[in-house]
Amino acid sequence: MKHILVVENETTLRELLEFLLRREGYTVTAVSDGDYAKQLLEKLNGIDLVILDLLLPIMSGRQLLRWIRRQCETADTPILVLTDLQNDDDVADALDEGANDYMIKPFQPKELQARIRKLLRIKKEL
């Protein structure tokens, strides 16, 4: 069973993502800030995908993205940025810093599921 880490500070959206992902059969760990996500990633093995908001308290999503890419254990973990930021510079910066995909809120659940499947297939091929 694939394990997805959701890093989203909006409670309602975090709970919705948990529900949607569990319904699809994924194991889900959901946290509300980047620093706690970093602590979990240091402890947990086997995170298959990170869904990451960029607008997070304590440690921003951008900082967490850079940290994930610098760690040997997580450098290849697919990261899907799911955020309100829709400026071209924000999209380009996140992709340049190592995000594998970028979605703008609000999102369509079917599109999100398809992108998750695509990213998990890519990880399997690595």
Side-chain angles (χ1 to χ4, degrees), residues 34-51:
D35 187 58
Y36 189 51
K38 178 181 175 247
Q39 292 173 37
L40 281 175
L41 286 165
E42 289 174 328
K43 293 177 193 170
L44 294 175
N45 285 332
I47 295 291
D48 296 294
L49 174 74
V50 176
I51 297 177

Side-chain angles (χ1 to χ4, degrees), residues 14-39:
R14 188 174 59 250
E15 290 172 353
L16 173 64
L17 287 167
E18 277 186 271
F19 171 77
L20 291 172
L21 296 170
R22 285 199 172 112
R23 189 178 70 185
E24 293 295 314
Y26 300 112
T27 300
V28 181
T29 301
V31 298
S32 61
D33 71 74
D35 187 58
Y36 189 51
K38 178 181 175 247
Q39 292 173 37

Side-chain angles (χ1 to χ4, degrees), residues 31-73:
V31 298
S32 61
D33 71 74
D35 187 58
Y36 189 51
K38 178 181 175 247
Q39 292 173 37
L40 281 175
L41 286 165
E42 289 174 328
K43 293 177 193 170
L44 294 175
N45 285 332
I47 295 291
D48 296 294
L49 174 74
V50 176
I51 297 177
L52 178 63
D53 188 3
L54 295 179
L55 302 172
L56 297 170
I58 305 173
M59 176 186 232
S60 75
R62 190 163 271 122
Q63 290 170 311
L64 181 60
L65 172 59
R66 286 192 293 263
W67 179 87
I68 290 170
R69 288 298 176 236
R70 287 194 307 262
Q71 309 309 305
C72 291
E73 302 81 22

Side-chain angles (χ1 to χ4, degrees), residues 96-121:
D96 286 342
E97 290 168 357
N100 298 87
D101 204 350
Y102 196 103
M103 287 185 72
I104 296 166
K105 299 175 196 171
F107 62 92
Q108 294 299 318
K110 286 187 180 211
E111 180 184 357
L112 176 67
Q113 293 291 354
R115 288 175 185 249
I116 288 169
R117 287 191 300 272
K118 179 187 93 174
L119 291 172
L120 291 172
R121 274 194 310 273

Side-chain angles (χ1 to χ4, degrees), residues 81-99:
V81 170
L82 180 61
T83 190
D84 292 317
L85 299 175
Q86 48 190 313
N87 179 300
D88 289 346
D89 290 336
D90 293 318
V91 176
D93 289 347
L95 293 171
D96 286 342
E97 290 168 357

